[in-house]
């Protein structure tokens, strides 16, 4: 979700999972507390930990590090590196995917699978993107190797809202997460039983209404 390269100073640092965008924490707060989108400006310190405590959320990054066998400094005042004659932005999934293709990414799937296996209270696991790429392949590996049968594994649209049409983006991102998908896409979006567990049966915002 929020791989942070070793930046200098305060350049594009995230102090929490998806801390660089304005959607994950406020939209979760809106869905599970107010049934409406939430418009407070970041850093959301007053809602972050109460929300994590209420929903019992844990977070994990699939990437541990990049360039495990090389020292590749960042280009000054950026999140980019020059490697083998090409420039890679370490905040962009596609560039990380390209680096994985040349074995310059260390993955965290084994530790995540072990954590799920050893934490029986975990019932729902979400991958925060829907692309059919190496991130999804690692997610599938975790699903097959965590030795748990009673866990729901699903994909949701990235909380950054990237490539999502519609304005306001926060509303349409909420709808992406909440709409119960058809049978062919049954592994996308929030698990309905997770919503019901928290007594969430509908979502209303400026004339938009969803019931589940």
């Amino acid at each position: 979700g929020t791989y942070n390269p070793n930046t200098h100073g305060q350049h594009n640092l995230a102090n929490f999972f998806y801390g660089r965008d304005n959607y994950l924490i406020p939209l979760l707060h809106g869905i599970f507390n107010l049934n409406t989108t939430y418009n407070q400006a970041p850093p959301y310190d007053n809602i972050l930990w109460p929300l994590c405590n209420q929903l019992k959320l844990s977070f994990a990054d699939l990437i541990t590090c990049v360039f495990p066998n090389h020292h590749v400094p960042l280009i000054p005042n950026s999140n980019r590196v020059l490697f083998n004659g090409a420039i890679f932005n370490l905040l962009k999934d596609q560039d990380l995917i390209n680096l994985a293709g040349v074995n310059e990414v260390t993955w965290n799937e084994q530790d995540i699978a072990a954590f799920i296996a050893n934490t029986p209270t975990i019932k729902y696991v979400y991958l925060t993107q829907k692309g059919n790429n190496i991130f999804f392949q690692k997610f599938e590996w975790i699903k097959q190797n965590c030795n748990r049968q009673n866990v729901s594994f699903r994909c949701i649209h990235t909380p950054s809202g990237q490539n999502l049409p519609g304005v306001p983006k926060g509303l349409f991102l909420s709808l992406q997460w909440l709409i119960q998908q058809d049978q062919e896409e049954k592994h996308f979006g929030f698990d309905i039983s997770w919503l019901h567990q928290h007594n969430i049966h509908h979502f209303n915002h400026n004339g938009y209404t969803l019931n589940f």
Side-chain angles (χ1 to χ4, degrees):
T2 310
Y3 175 69
N4 252 347
N6 187 21
T7 55
H8 301 286
Q10 296 299 310
H11 182 72
N12 214 349
L13 291 173
N15 62 357
F16 198 68
F17 193 80
Y18 277 97
R20 287 189 291 266
D21 72 78
N22 299 335
Y23 294 112
L24 178 66
I25 298 302
L27 292 188
L28 284 177
H29 180 276
I31 291 167
F32 286 94
N33 289 281
L34 304 174
N35 257 322
T36 183
T37 54
Y38 187 78
N39 297 315
Q40 176 183 314
Y44 315 120
D45 291 342
N46 64 318
I47 61 172
L48 175 59
W49 294 113
L51 185 67
C52 289
N53 184 59
Q54 172 191 340
L55 300 180
K56 297 179 173 60
L57 298 179
S58 293
F59 302 94
D61 280 318
L62 276 170
I63 292 178
T64 301
C65 72
V66 294
F67 305 114
N69 303 311
H70 301 87
H71 175 67
V72 182
L74 286 165
I75 296 173
N77 299 315
S78 76
N79 292 299
R80 298 174 299 154
V81 297
L82 177 63
F83 181 71
N84 285 349
I87 292 179
F88 299 88
N89 186 328
L90 300 185
L91 303 187
K92 292 186 177 297
D93 284 354
Q94 187 56 56
D95 284 10
L96 293 168
I97 290 169
N98 293 339
L99 286 174
V102 292
N103 298 315
E104 291 296 340
V105 172
T106 299
W107 296 94
N108 198 29
E109 76 273 24
Q110 293 187 17
D111 285 342
I112 294 173
F115 182 77
I116 295 171
N118 295 317
T119 312
T121 53
I122 292 178
K123 303 298 182 184
Y124 309 96
V125 181
Y126 295 97
L127 177 67
T128 53
Q129 60 99 25
K130 294 171 64 176
N132 186 13
N133 51 41
I134 193 169
F135 290 102
F136 180 75
Q137 294 166 15
K138 298 295 182 180
F139 186 66
E140 283 292 297
W141 188 94
I142 292 168
K143 178 180 177 180
Q144 298 300 324
N145 289 275
C146 69
N147 298 316
R148 292 278 306 279
Q149 301 299 318
N150 59 338
V151 179
S152 171
F153 287 85
R154 303 176 71 87
C155 300
I156 63 172
H157 195 97
T158 172
S160 70
Q162 185 176 359
N163 299 323
L164 185 67
V167 177
K169 185 175 288 188
L171 169 62
F172 283 88
L173 183 55
S174 297
L175 297 179
Q176 284 284 318
W177 292 347
L178 290 169
I179 292 174
Q180 189 171 12
Q181 305 293 339
D182 60 31
Q183 190 65 25
E184 293 182 357
E185 295 188 329
K186 62 182 178 180
H187 299 301
F188 293 154
F190 285 167
D191 191 297
I192 299 301
S193 62
W194 183 50
L195 298 171
H196 288 176
Q197 177 183 323
H198 292 276
N199 200 32
I200 306 300
H201 297 272
H202 58 87
F203 177 77
N204 302 303
H205 180 74
N206 290 349
Y208 289 88
T209 300
L210 287 174
N211 297 295
F212 3 86

